[in-house]
Amino acid sequence: MSAESPNVRQVQGYCSLCIARCGTVATVTDGRFARLDPDPTHPTGAAICAKGRAAPELVYHKDRLKRPLRRTRPKGDSDPGWEEISWDAAFDQIASAMRRIAEQHGPEAVAFSQSSPSTTAIADSAAFVVRLMNAFGTPNMVSALELCGWGRGFATRYVFGVGSVATGSGGGAMADIAESGCLILWGYNPSFTRITHATATVAGLKRGMKLIVIDPRNVGLANKADVWLRVRPGTDGALALGLANIMIERGWYDEAFVRTWSNGPLLVRSDTDRLLRADDLLYGGGAGQFVAWDSGSSRVVSYDAAVGRYEGGAATLALRGEYTVATRDGPTACRPVFDRYAALCRKYSPEIIESTCWITRDQLQEAARTIWHARPVSYYAWSGHEHHANSTETARAMAMLYALTGSFDVAGGNMLFPAVPAGSITGENLPAASQLAPAVGFAERPLGPARWNHVAPRDFYRAVLESKPYPVRGLIGFGANLLLAHGDPVRGRAALAALDFYAHADLFMTPTAALADIVLPVASCFERESLKIGFEISAEAQSHVQLRQAIVAPPGEARSDTDIVLGLAARLGLGEHFWNGDVDAAYRQQLAPSGITLDELRAHPAGLRKPLITRHAKHAASDDSGNALGFGTPSRKVEFWSETFLDHGYSAMPDFVEPTMGPIARPDLAASFPLILTCAKPSLFCQTQQRSLPSLRKRALDPEIELNPATASARGISNGDWVDVRTPAGGMRARARFSEKLDPRVVVGEHGWWQGCDELGLGDCDPFDPNGTNFNLTIDANVRDPVSGTPSHRSNLCEVRPVRGCFTSAAPDNIAE
Ligand SMILES: Nc1nc2c(c(=O)[nH]1)N[C@H]1C(S)=C(S)[C@@H](COP(=O)(O)OP(=O)(O)OC[C@H]3O[C@@H](n4cnc5c(=O)[nH]c(N)nc54)[C@H](O)[C@@H]3O)O[C@H]1N2
Ligand SMILES: Nc1nc2c(c(=O)[nH]1)N[C@H]1C(S)=C(S)[C@@H](COP(=O)(O)OP(=O)(O)OC[C@H]3O[C@@H](n4cnc5c(=O)[nH]c(N)nc54)[C@H](O)[C@@H]3O)O[C@H]1N2
Ligand code: SF4
Ligand SMILES: [Mo]
């Protein structure tokens, strides 16, 4: 903090409103937070966005929650009768409700919910919230993981043993854009959604990096791309297999990597479609061992997954062909996994890709050529592929395509950047944590988010309304705006209303918060301290450790989420597990392994650097027994074939599944609903937030739907007209925005619109009104990915019609049809 004049001070920090976590300098004039600017000395401080610049508007917004509120009227009542109460009274009521529910139904009957760390500052407190869950004994975290993070950070673990694209909170591999020869932005538009990545991409382009953008829209950096693939929404899985097909046919793949580091050489029995095991062999072999064909000696060799070693080396293992092996069942035809993968990819010929993905052969070929010849390659895939009911297999197919490049964890590839050593505070070793019930959704989808204790809202609603698989009666919410962010808000509302008890902590009274029994006011990230160890996007950024200061005091009695957790823990009698309320003690525990002290960080608000050593290809390093570390999969290799998937009734390899509500799967619907509806995030707002900030809202008054002018004119729609968007599941309204480069068969909407903006005379919109502005009323929430439960937010059949008369978000009822 440097005082420049008595009335002006500047505070270095970082903005936490979104995943970019831009390094910033705040100016406080006469005690008032006046402006936010980029901090070019910070590893993520090259620029900030309009949302960051609007931070003072957020901080001082009149609608901020300021005091704990208690509902005094029933949930069906239009007036909740909010009554201000003290924090003590709020904590008492929440703690006693949690205890009561736990006594009746078990602690798992109290779920928690949390907003995504990519779109809010909840990462400041997420570890504390998980610790409270572990201390209390509930596994159930209701979150958006199945829509956000699942594809890139979890589904890919079944291929690489680790997220092959990092998730918001930092786990997994990260595109090393600074050194990439080629970057693939796959359903990801960082110009709007993570400007630090956009800045890095522009710098890469300046030094000659190739760029491939895979997006139905020509948006963000697509116009600077060497190849822009205008993929049909929901067909990215086919595209990944089609690209791999060309690369395998041309020999454009890293054969040594595939042979040495993937399970590509392991033999698959053609009779059972399972991996051949050494104890299947006629002359037997070690239990738990697999088998490959060695072309050098023309015989089988065994592979011991426990140590990651083949008997003999890997140099001459066969990747292609058919081999007859003497097994206990007689001579048995077998093929290497890689041969099976190549056969799967062959189904996705350029002709099929042209008809499936709407991408020409030339473009497909050009993309494959660029990927191979411009190595090292990195990729970042996000919502574009994650918001589909086939997202798991799509993400796996992408990860396997990526494995062909051999770029994993090399400079310029998707790298496991080094991290400052830090202590965990999530409390997995607390007594109650060892007895957690399986999370809701685990029984149906044991490989999905519930395996990591994340509960899809849809499954949570069922547990509340139908007690399946067991009753959930309480919810402690940290931000998550369930009713706006997910499909079927009507069922969501019924579930929230049916809870015995719901407490919600937020900055604003959202439609979700409005169903709570107790609402807690949260300090924004500009009003609270927080520790961040590593800034993710590069090795340099990873070395940065910062204790963000509060720029100003929170409004009224608002508190940080961390303080709320500590306060609640104390009231639950769990204070001893929460440093007796001393947050500094928690930070010290986190910092201890780093060698950086809390006092040093307090003295250096701009943060400190902990020099880190970058090591590449860590899978090739040896463990204590001299075996290569390999990958964290059951086979210790990158898995083109997953026995784990087979064991759970899924296919071993990620074949493409047509979008369930698409024109090919449902030709019967295509006459009434001839267009495909997908969506994307706006640059000016995060998800369901910030519509009440005038400087942002005046630049985007209403939700928009992008469509090709030809599509519009065929329906009598002019640019800017209000239109009705209908799907078989429901509908919404938005303003038409013309986009010449969009395929005439595709339209693109936005979700998250509910909040009014008084300064501009715009009222709130009813999120349950089928003629309103809630995009997620167009979704059929029952259509879900079989592995993860992800619903399809981005590939649904629809029709768009002009709405006659006047319709503005200021007067949503004023529609004359
Ligand atoms: N159709 C469609 N639906 C989507 C998406 C889409 O692209 N299209 N995106 C999906 C994705 S990727 C995600 S991640 C989800 C997001 O869903 P959520 O994670 O629910 O995120 P938001 O809807 O932005 O709601 C965040 C809430 O947290 C509050 N909040 C902000 N900061 C804090 C804080 O520091 N503490 C607390 N306690 N609260 C805070 C905000 O006021 C807001 O009410 O939505 C998903 N839904
Ligand atoms: N300004 C802003 N920044 C944000 C957020 C925000 O809401 N606003 N949200 C934060 C969060 S939680 C997230 S998850 C990230 C998300 O960041 P992004 O993934 O960049 O978010 P989107 O814009 O939803 O989706 C990216 C692109 O996917 C394209 N797309 C749509 N359908 C398909 C498809 O079927 N296939 C392919 N390949 N592409 C498709 C869209 O046209 C869009 O350009 O952003 C984070 N940052
Ligand atoms: S991109 Fe904008 S909202 Fe996100 S962290 Fe940076 S300044 Fe904040
Ligand atoms: Mo997200």
Side-chain angles (χ1 to χ4, degrees):
M1 203 182 298
S2 68
E4 288 172 1
S5 84
N7 299 327
V8 179
R9 67 190 170 94
Q10 293 201 309
V11 190
Q12 281 176 293
Y14 58 94
C15 173
S16 294
L17 294 180
C18 87
I19 181 76
R21 309 281 189 260
C22 301
T24 52
V25 184
T27 303
V28 181
T29 307
D30 295 329
R32 208 177 151 82
F33 177 21
R35 56 180 292 144
L36 195 66
D37 291 287
D39 174 4
T41 68
H42 195 284
T44 58
I48 65 167
C49 78
K51 299 180 293 301
R53 291 194 191 283
E57 278 174 64
L58 176 82
V59 164
Y60 297 114
H61 198 281
K62 66 174 179 44
D63 294 341
R64 285 284 302 278
L65 293 167
K66 298 181 185 69
R67 285 186 177 71
L69 300 174
R70 183 172 73 89
R71 165 185 297 280
T72 57
R73 301 171 73 92
K75 288 199 181 161
D77 210 301
S78 58
D79 173 17
W82 294 120
E83 178 187 275
E84 289 187 358
I85 54 171
S86 68
W87 277 100
D88 277 345
F91 284 144
D92 277 343
Q93 199 171 327
I94 300 171
S96 67
M98 288 172 75
R99 274 204 223 94
R100 195 172 57 240
I101 292 170
E103 274 160 23
Q104 280 173 15
H105 306 282
E108 63 277 11
V110 178
F112 282 61
S113 70
Q114 194 176 277
S115 57
S116 160
S118 300
T119 186
T120 65
I122 199 67
D124 289 358
S125 309
F128 291 88
V129 175
V130 172
R131 186 178 185 90
L132 183 55
M133 293 173 63
N134 277 324
F136 186 72
T138 179
N140 291 313
M141 169 61 86
V142 184
S143 78
L145 181 68
E146 89 282 13
L147 284 167
C148 189
W150 173 257
R152 65 197 195 287
F154 287 77
T156 56
R157 290 185 197 195
Y158 292 108
V159 181
F160 279 93
V162 63
S164 57
V165 185
T167 53
S169 35
M174 179 59 87
D176 179 20
I177 299 177
E179 303 282 333
S180 290
C182 170
L183 170 66
I184 309 173
L185 297 177
W186 200 324
Y188 175 38
N189 174 22
S191 308
F192 286 12
T193 58
R194 192 172 192 166
I195 56 171
T196 43
H197 265 167
T199 311
T201 305
V202 170
L205 289 170
K206 284 203 184 111
R207 62 165 173 77
M209 179 186 77
K210 301 281 184 200
L211 177 64
I212 298 175
V213 170
I214 304 175
D215 197 307
R217 299 188 302 158
N218 190 283
V219 71
L221 293 162
N223 63 356
K224 295 204 167 57
D226 297 275
V227 186
W228 167 46
L229 300 180
R230 193 175 71 171
V231 66
R232 166 161 72 97
T235 65
D236 299 273
L239 177 58
L241 295 166
L243 285 165
N245 177 49
I246 296 186
M247 293 173 67
I248 294 170
E249 273 188 359
R250 302 285 155 92
W252 291 344
Y253 65 96
D254 187 334
E255 201 174 303
F257 179 86
V258 170
R259 185 173 283 117
T260 314
W261 295 114
S262 87
N263 68 353
L266 301 185
L267 291 177
V268 181
R269 297 176 64 134
S270 304
D271 56 349
T272 59
D273 269 347
R274 299 295 302 222
L275 287 183
L276 179 65
R277 293 176 184 262
D279 46 14
D280 292 341
L281 296 173
L282 185 58
Y283 302 109
Q289 298 197 356
F290 298 99
V291 180
W293 185 264
D294 183 49
S295 310
S297 57
S298 293
R299 65 176 190 92
V300 290
V301 293
S302 63
Y303 172 71
D304 186 349
V307 294
R309 272 185 198 275
Y310 292 92
E311 151 206 3
T316 51
L317 298 177
L319 289 176
R320 306 299 298 268
E322 186 176 70
Y323 305 93
T324 303
V325 179
T327 71
R328 293 174 196 276
D329 305 318
T332 302
C334 298
R335 288 181 176 277
V337 160
F338 193 72
D339 195 78
R340 296 287 300 258
Y341 171 64
L344 169 66
C345 296
R346 240 185 344 264
K347 281 173 42 187
Y348 296 92
S349 65
E351 296 72 35
I352 294 292
I353 294 304
E354 192 154 350
S355 60
T356 305
C357 308
W358 303 347
I359 288 165
T360 65
R361 295 159 207 215
D362 289 350
Q363 276 206 303
L364 187 72
Q365 165 101 7
E366 187 52 28
R369 183 192 304 280
T370 306
I371 291 172
W372 181 245
H373 291 289
R375 282 165 300 138
V377 189
S378 61
Y379 82 110
Y380 204 102
W382 207 338
S383 301
H385 87 291
E386 286 193 330
H387 292 183
H388 296 280
N390 57 11
S391 69
T392 304
E393 297 306 52
T394 300
R396 286 209 302 154
M398 287 176 177
M400 291 178 196
L401 167 68
Y402 187 65
L404 296 180
T405 67
S407 290
F408 188 81
D409 207 24
V410 304
N414 284 24
M415 273 191 59
L416 296 164
F417 284 130
V420 174
S424 168
I425 56 161
T426 43
E428 274 76 18
N429 52 356
L430 293 174
S434 62
Q435 297 160 32
L436 298 184
V440 167
F442 180 77
E444 295 90 337
R445 286 175 232 90
L447 300 183
R451 183 174 173 187
W452 287 273
N453 291 340
H454 282 262
V455 178
R458 188 90 191 142
D459 298 334
F460 164 68
Y461 300 158
R462 191 174 72 141
V464 176
L465 294 170
E466 299 172 30
S467 296
K468 288 185 185 153
Y470 50 75
V472 169
R473 304 302 320 151
L475 179 67
I476 312 297
F478 289 88
N481 194 358
L482 300 177
L483 297 186
L484 267 297
H486 302 274
D488 206 349
V490 174
R491 185 165 164 88
R493 176 175 56 183
L496 294 181
L499 286 166
D500 293 344
F501 183 77
Y502 175 21
H504 184 94
D506 209 305
L507 282 76
F508 293 95
M509 184 66 80
T510 66
T512 305
L515 283 161
D517 298 283
I518 300 263
V519 175
L520 302 174
V522 173
S524 80
C525 56
F526 305 101
E527 303 149 9
R528 64 195 199 206
E529 206 177 56
S530 180
L531 175 63
K532 184 160 169 59
I533 302 176
F535 282 71
E536 292 139 24
I537 59 158
S538 63
E540 187 211 356
Q542 274 290 79
S543 73
H544 196 81
V545 181
Q546 197 165 7
L547 188 74
R548 198 191 61 224
Q549 300 190 341
I551 296 164
V552 285
E557 295 175 12
R559 291 187 183 179
S560 72
D561 297 287
T562 303
D563 284 343
I564 293 173
V565 169
L566 296 185
L568 189 52
R571 212 53 64 115
L572 286 164
L574 298 168
E576 59 170 320
H577 299 310
F578 286 80
W579 311 274
N580 295 312
D582 178 7
V583 69
D584 280 4
Y587 292 154
R588 284 197 190 93
Q589 183 175 326
Q590 285 179 287
L591 284 168
S594 73
I596 297 175
T597 67
L598 192 58
D599 292 341
E600 284 166 345
L601 283 181
R602 284 233 159 83
H604 296 91
L608 291 169
R609 304 285 169 97
K610 171 90 187 168
L612 295 172
I613 297 165
T614 300
R615 294 197 172 83
H616 296 111
K618 293 176 276 296
H619 47 272
S622 297
D623 65 15
D624 294 343
S625 323
N627 298 309
L629 285 172
F631 292 83
T633 57
S635 65
R636 232 170 149 150
K637 302 284 183 189
V638 174
E639 296 205 336
F640 283 98
W641 179 277
S642 172
E643 292 273 301
T644 308
F645 266 52
L646 276 178
D647 288 344
H648 289 87
Y650 306 113
S651 55
M653 291 188 301
D655 204 352
F656 166 67
V657 183
E658 267 292 335
T660 315
M661 294 302 274
I664 295 179
R666 294 301 302 271
D668 55 314
L669 293 174
S672 317
F673 301 99
L675 303 170
I676 297 174
L677 175 62
T678 182
C679 58
K681 308 216 209 304
S683 67
L684 289 170
F685 311 110
C686 270
Q687 310 276 358
T688 67
Q689 304 167 69
Q690 291 123 3
R691 305 299 190 289
S692 64
L693 309 185
S695 74
L696 302 178
R697 186 65 182 271
K698 70 180 185 217
R699 293 165 63 185
L701 291 173
D702 301 305
E704 290 184 330
I705 181 120
E706 284 179 54
L707 73 179
N708 187 289
T711 313
S713 72
R715 291 163 174 78
I717 297 167
S718 303
N719 204 8
D721 280 357
W722 278 99
V723 298
D724 179 75
V725 184
R726 263 320 102 180
T727 67
M732 72 171 299
R733 288 175 178 182
R735 264 188 207 278
R737 185 152 72 81
F738 284 6
S739 173
E740 300 273 352
K741 291 187 175 168
L742 197 62
D743 189 294
R745 294 162 287 185
V746 173
V747 296
V748 187
E750 304 170 346
H751 88 295
W753 290 79
W754 65 273
Q755 201 174 19
C757 181
D758 289 351
E759 289 84 345
L760 300 177
L762 302 171
D764 288 355
C765 285
D766 175 0
F768 310 103
D769 176 1
N771 296 322
T773 54
N774 183 355
F775 181 97
N776 285 343
L777 283 169
T778 67
I779 288 165
D780 182 345
N782 294 315
V783 174
R784 299 174 70 186
D785 183 292
V787 182
S788 59
T790 306
S792 168
H793 285 223
R794 294 203 173 190
S795 41
N796 294 304
L797 290 169
C798 81
E799 177 57 301
V800 178
R801 292 194 194 85
V803 179
R804 278 172 288 121
C806 152
F807 179 79
T808 70
S809 20
D813 298 329
N814 189 12
I815 305 164
E817 271 186 278

